[in-house]
Amino acid sequence: MSGDYEKNSDKPLAPGLYLVATPIGNLEDITLRALRVLRSVDRIACEDTRQTQKLLNHFEIHTPTVSYHMHNEGSRADELTAELKLGARIAVVSDAGTPGIADPGGQIAAAAIAAGIDIFPIPGANAAISGLIASGLPTERFTFHGFLPARAGQRKTALEELVRGEVTHVFYEAPHRVLDALADVEEVFGVSQHVVVARELTKLHEEFLRGTAGELRSQLAARASVRGEIVLMLAPSPAESSSEQKRASLTVEVAALMKSEAISEMDALKRVARERGIGKSEAYRELQREQNRPR
Ligand code: SAM
């Protein structure tokens, strides 16, 4: 911690564009700064005014709203930029999470920058980052892809074109497509591809499923239906990742399997060894080395 925190709650809000993150399911995930900005701006541009109104009602915010969505992004961006040029303070929010991330926000940000208007990120909830940090997968390098293509052929091509190696891949996926996506992941990357599905993050039924694509597919297919919002993550390719990274993730992987499958450490270790194509005793020695390594 640097100790250089800004305490700007008593300053009037400067003119400009505010990109404000809102919760992805849990109302407590709104920040104090987001509330202050939403209360103080002249207008809030919303992906869906009715959706945002629920949030505003909850926090007793009475700022006027205007719609700003996929279908009017271009024209509305021009209109809002004209107001910003006159010194307005405008917030942009999406239905949930961080605007501009698989959501509207990018066009108005670019238009405001081109017009020389000040632009302020108001950080907060984001599904991809929330899923990633609790996935147990390496976070040093990751690529966020937004949604996988909905069409089967395009989805498979998108997977085939991924640059693997030491990179964790993060996708948003619709619940009714996740079984097909997992089948494609297995087909493209093989039976041992480790996957994490993060579902309903920050909500009552939040859950993490960790295992091979096939295991997760069977687990989800056994349910009456797959519901909720989903972040799908692919572990780096073991064959191409560095030995250091492999070592670093063995303990995490074993612990994650023990928890998600309610199995013993030995059973989890056997599974991880099988998935990595190494012997049980080699995996055991590796686990011991990791656990005894000075931190
Ligand atoms: N801008 C948002 C953000 O910052 O995360 C993402 C918007 S995108 C249109 C919506 C997708 O994000 C959902 O279909 C799902 O894949 C993912 N998502 C949003 N909320 C989620 C949650 N609570 N749990 C898991 N995934 C979520």
Side-chain angles (χ1 to χ4, degrees):
M1 193 176 87
S2 70
D4 295 336
Y5 286 131
E6 284 291 329
K7 296 189 195 101
N8 49 10
S9 54
D10 47 0
K11 287 190 200 145
L13 207 63
L17 180 69
Y18 293 79
L19 297 165
V20 183
T22 58
I24 55 167
N26 191 321
L27 282 172
E28 288 186 0
D29 292 332
I30 189 103
T31 70
L32 297 175
R33 190 170 173 221
L35 290 175
R36 183 172 65 86
V37 168
L38 294 176
R39 271 201 185 97
S40 314
V41 288
D42 302 305
R43 280 227 262 176
I44 305 173
C46 315
E47 184 181 7
D48 177 347
T49 50
R50 280 167 309 176
Q51 177 67 22
T52 300
Q53 200 55 55
K54 293 182 208 157
L55 183 79
L56 300 180
N57 290 347
H58 180 85
F59 290 107
E60 297 180 7
I61 295 173
H62 307 293
T63 310
T65 58
V66 58
S67 73
Y68 172 71
H69 47 67
M70 230 163 76
H71 307 292
N72 69 2
E73 207 176 346
S75 57
R76 211 23 87 69
D78 293 343
E79 210 176 289
L80 294 173
T81 307
E83 282 184 40
L84 287 163
K85 279 192 194 157
L86 298 174
R89 300 159 309 165
I90 295 178
V92 170
V93 299
S94 63
D95 284 354
T98 302
I101 304 297
D103 263 342
Q107 282 200 26
I108 188 161
I113 293 162
I117 287 152
D118 287 337
I119 173 164
F120 306 96
I122 310 296
N126 168 253
I129 297 293
S130 305
L132 177 67
I133 58 172
S135 66
L137 300 176
T139 54
E140 293 83 358
R141 290 180 64 203
F142 66 90
T143 307
F144 171 65
H145 302 271
F147 286 95
L148 271 167
R151 294 219 180 114
Q154 290 172 359
R155 182 171 53 234
K156 209 181 281 172
T157 308
L159 290 170
E160 281 161 358
E161 285 173 354
L162 288 183
V163 176
R164 302 305 309 284
E166 296 173 20
V167 182
T168 296
H169 291 283
V170 184
F171 303 92
Y172 288 157
E173 189 51 284
H176 58 279
R177 281 197 289 266
V178 72
L179 294 180
D180 290 342
L182 287 168
D184 286 349
V185 167
E186 187 171 40
E187 197 177 324
V188 175
F189 301 117
V191 286
S192 58
Q193 173 62 54
H194 185 76
V195 172
V196 178
V197 166
R199 207 178 63 83
E200 293 290 83
L201 288 161
T202 77
K203 301 185 201 174
L204 185 63
H205 298 293
E206 174 179 277
E207 76 171 341
F208 284 86
L209 303 174
R210 302 177 178 91
T212 65
E215 286 163 351
L216 264 50
R217 192 170 189 280
S218 320
Q219 224 172 314
L220 289 171
R223 299 181 181 182
S225 64
V226 184
R227 293 185 187 185
E229 299 190 282
I230 287 174
V231 180
L232 170 67
M233 291 160 281
L234 306 187
S237 155
E240 293 168 63
S241 56
S242 70
S243 56
E244 179 59 33
Q245 197 159 24
K246 270 194 263 177
R247 266 188 269 130
S249 59
L250 198 103
T251 308
V252 171
E253 237 185 278
V254 167
L257 264 182
M258 285 168 67
K259 187 159 175 242
S260 66
E261 307 274 328
I263 54 177
S264 69
E265 187 183 63
M266 195 42 78
D267 284 345
L269 187 68
K270 276 191 221 160
R271 175 101 62 93
V272 174
R274 201 170 54 236
E275 282 165 11
R276 292 178 175 210
I278 57 175
K280 197 173 61 190
S281 31
E282 187 190 338
Y284 183 68
R285 278 196 302 277
E286 193 51 57
L287 189 72
Q288 298 249 296
R289 264 200 297 276
E290 255 184 60
Q291 291 173 348
N292 294 330
R293 193 180 297 152
R295 283 158 206 275

